[in-house]
């Protein structure tokens, strides 16, 4: 009888340790689902592609352009205006531009991102 009680206590300790370990692992990764992480990484990559297209367009035309102008001029090979959970927009302004990937997924919290002529990606709310 003592061996069964010892075995049950040992199993409870092991189970508790695993539960604590995996809950800490999930909180360290931000608790984001893998699909959400993939979408946010893809949105950042798309913003970089948009910014590179803006640089190309600016070199050829002397000004920055909207997303539609980039697509129609052939400066950008990306034909989509968003990615799952994100919508893209570009606001040209004189000698600068701002491209944004806004979170459009209401069911899961996510961050939006922006990039400008400095080619740096920033988080936006």
């Amino acid at each position: 009888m003592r061996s069964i009680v010892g075995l049950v206590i040992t199993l409870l300790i092991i189970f508790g340790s695993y539960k604590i370990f995996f809950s800490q692992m999930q909180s360290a990764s931000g608790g984001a689902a893998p699909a959400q992480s993939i979408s946010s990484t893809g949105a950042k990559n798309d913003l970089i592609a948009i910014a590179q297209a803006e640089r190309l367009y600016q070199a050829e035309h002397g000004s920055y352009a909207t997303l539609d102008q980039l697509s129609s001029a052939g400066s950008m090979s990306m034909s989509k205006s968003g990615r799952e959970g994100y919508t893209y927009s570009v606001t040209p302004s004189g000698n600068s531009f701002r491209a944004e990937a806004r979170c459009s997924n209401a069911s899961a919290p996510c961050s939006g991102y922006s990039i400008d002529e400095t080619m740096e990606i920033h988080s936006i709310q």
Side-chain angles (χ1 to χ4, degrees), residues 43 46 50 67 78-89:
D46 289 345
I50 291 169
L67 199 57
M78 183 178 72
S79 62
K80 58 189 173 192
S81 63
R83 176 177 293 274
E84 183 178 338
Y86 291 90
T87 56
Y88 303 144
S89 65

Side-chain angles (χ1 to χ4, degrees), residues 6 20 22 39 43 45 54 57-58 63 74 78-79 89 91 105-106 117 119 122 124:
I20 290 170
F22 285 114
S39 291
N45 287 337
E54 283 285 0
Y57 189 92
Q58 199 274 337
S63 64
M78 183 178 72
S79 62
S89 65
T91 308
N105 191 355
E117 65 279 352
M119 300 293 283
H122 303 281
I124 58 174

Side-chain angles (χ1 to χ4, degrees), residues 46-67:
D46 289 345
L47 283 177
I48 292 170
I50 291 169
Q52 289 172 340
E54 283 285 0
R55 283 185 165 183
L56 178 64
Y57 189 92
Q58 199 274 337
E60 291 176 357
H61 298 92
S63 64
Y64 291 109
T66 65
L67 199 57

Side-chain angles (χ1 to χ4, degrees), residues 12-98:
L12 287 173
I13 291 171
I14 291 171
F15 176 73
S17 299
Y18 277 116
K19 184 173 175 143
I20 290 170
F21 174 75
F22 285 114
S23 68
Q24 287 177 349
M25 243 177 69
Q26 184 177 10
S27 67
S29 68
Q36 179 61 36
S37 296
I38 292 169
S39 291
S40 65
T41 301
K44 290 176 187 177
N45 287 337
D46 289 345
L47 283 177
I48 292 170
I50 291 169
Q52 289 172 340
E54 283 285 0
R55 283 185 165 183
L56 178 64
Y57 189 92
Q58 199 274 337
E60 291 176 357
H61 298 92
S63 64
Y64 291 109
T66 65
L67 199 57
D68 292 333
Q69 290 171 326
L70 290 174
S71 294
S72 64
S75 299
M76 183 173 63
S77 61
M78 183 178 72
S79 62
K80 58 189 173 192
S81 63
R83 176 177 293 274
E84 183 178 338
Y86 291 90
T87 56
Y88 303 144
S89 65
V90 176
T91 308
S93 172
N95 292 331
S96 66
F97 72 91
R98 180 178 169 99

